[in-house]
Amino acid sequence: MKENSGVDSDHILIFEEQALWCRKFELDKWKDFAYVGAPWTAGSGYIRDEWSKIANIGAEYEKSWGDEDGGKGVFKELVVDEIPLVGSDRLTLINRTWIKRAINICPQKQLAQLPQDVVSKKECVATGRPEAEIYFGCVLNGIRAPIPSTFEASLFSAKFYWPDKLIKDEEENSLNKAIVLKHFGNDGVNALQRVRDGKPEVESNPILVPISVQTKHMKINTCPHI
């Protein structure tokens, strides 16, 4: 097979069963993120409990994380309510550079494929077999990897929520407008305003239809018409 120099080989797009492909995917609009998938929110207590089951973090490492480049990122508390866990399966885009960095900083003991003498010296180690969105969601947030907001992730894939359910208060209005402008142009901004005016009909509003919809959880068999 000849190498295609036009392919961005640092990215892997995973598309699984129980997913519908509903509109065009443009890598350029997503390639700056470390990890993109359907958002899911289960409350900070759930995240705290799940992370505490798998994380073994050295006392000196709780406040700051180093990486192989010598940089540091403050590891924010994982109990904050709005931690954007956006890597749910079926349709997922991952950046291999960031994924490798996460594994090197806080490897999963059994699955990291690193020598055990290397793993044993890490200040952060995950044990057990955590769900990917818990593991990567927490570690990538901790090292300040670029993660989309829950609203932007909902434009990528839907597992539990249509995008209109994740449009929040007026404080985020300008951010949401910038996100919609990036993906849909001015027509999308006008569509966003219709959502904010309380007219969020999926069939007539393009910003409410993600690239992929997961059939089982969203309880649909065909993509909404756009």
Side-chain angles (χ1 to χ4, degrees), residues 93-173:
L93 180 69
I94 61 176
N95 179 294
R96 292 196 300 174
T97 296
W98 276 107
I99 293 299
K100 288 191 291 185
R101 184 174 299 174
I103 292 171
N104 282 326
I105 290 174
C106 187
Q108 197 285 332
K109 189 174 182 180
Q110 290 79 21
L111 302 177
Q113 297 184 355
L114 295 175
Q116 286 305 303
D117 61 326
V118 173
V119 173
S120 65
K121 296 176 182 178
K122 298 288 185 180
E123 290 288 344
C124 173
V125 177
T127 59
R129 293 180 179 269
E131 296 180 47
E133 54 261 43
I134 291 286
Y135 171 71
F136 286 116
C138 289
V139 177
L140 289 169
N141 270 279
I143 61 177
R144 292 295 193 265
I147 301 293
S149 69
T150 52
F151 171 65
E152 186 161 17
S154 73
L155 303 180
F156 183 81
S157 181
K159 181 175 183 178
F160 299 114
Y161 306 101
W162 292 109
D164 64 299
K165 302 301 182 184
L166 297 169
I167 296 176
K168 300 181 181 178
D169 55 32
E170 290 295 331
E171 291 183 5
E172 293 196 0
N173 192 23

Side-chain angles (χ1 to χ4, degrees), residues 50-71:
E50 291 300 300
W51 183 245
S52 66
K53 292 176 186 177
I54 66 171
N56 181 11
I57 301 176
E60 295 301 318
Y61 217 52
E62 290 180 353
K63 296 180 181 179
S64 64
W65 290 51
D67 61 33
E68 62 270 33
D69 301 321

Side-chain angles (χ1 to χ4, degrees), residues 75-93:
F75 187 77
K76 68 180 179 183
E77 252 186 286
L78 295 174
V79 300
V80 294
D81 289 333
E82 299 304 324
I83 182 170
L85 290 177
V86 297
S88 194
D89 56 4
R90 301 297 182 255
L91 181 70
T92 309
L93 180 69

